[in-house]
Amino acid sequence: MRGEQRGEWTVLRVVGELDLATSPGVRQRVHEAVADGRRRLVLDLSEVLFCDSSGVGVLVAARRLMRSCAGELRLILPARGAEDGSHVNRVLAALGVRRLFDCYPDLDAAVGDADAPLTA
């Protein structure tokens, strides 16, 4: 996972798999960002090839954490990406939780002044 600052947004890029093995690391990075006073977080999932239930769990937990500290969480979930389409996008939609997240097609849209997130 890679991280960077884009203005007031902390961007965490998750690459590869978001599963039982990698979810704890993502959770830790989100908690570290909040502990550092970051209240605007973007999780870039455009390069995630696989996501299981523990990955979905860490996304839901990140949303809950950001809301509890009056923060904002945005996801980058392109309609096409990570080779054959956004796997995470499909998983979240199939589980009925996609609507919980503000999703954007790319980093520029996510960190910009775009008020309207990408709809399903």
Side-chain angles (χ1 to χ4, degrees):
M1 181 179 354
R2 299 179 305 249
E4 69 177 82
Q5 283 300 124
R6 288 286 295 263
E8 58 192 28
W9 290 94
T10 298
V11 181
L12 298 177
R13 285 191 173 91
V14 183
V15 177
E17 299 181 350
L18 184 54
D19 59 11
L20 186 60
T22 60
S23 292
V26 174
R27 178 177 279 117
Q28 180 65 34
R29 294 289 299 269
V30 170
H31 281 270
E32 288 171 358
V34 170
D36 287 343
R38 309 285 183 204
R39 295 298 181 262
R40 301 188 100 187
L41 180 66
V42 174
L43 290 178
D44 182 349
L45 307 175
S46 61
E47 295 182 55
V48 172
L49 300 172
F50 175 78
C51 179
D52 69 7
S53 61
S54 60
V56 173
V58 82
L59 296 177
V60 171
R63 177 185 181 269
R64 187 179 318 118
L65 176 62
M66 295 308 293
R67 288 173 60 96
S68 73
C69 66
E72 189 173 354
L73 174 67
R74 294 179 175 181
L75 304 182
I76 297 175
L77 289 175
R80 304 278 317 155
E83 293 183 14
D84 66 338
S86 177
H87 176 75
V88 180
N89 206 353
R90 292 191 314 265
V91 169
L92 294 178
L95 294 174
V97 297
R98 168 103 171 35
R99 62 181 169 69
L100 298 177
F101 299 97
D102 292 334
C103 301
Y104 295 81
D106 56 44
L107 183 57
D108 289 337
V111 299
D113 291 331
D115 291 327
L118 184 70
T119 57

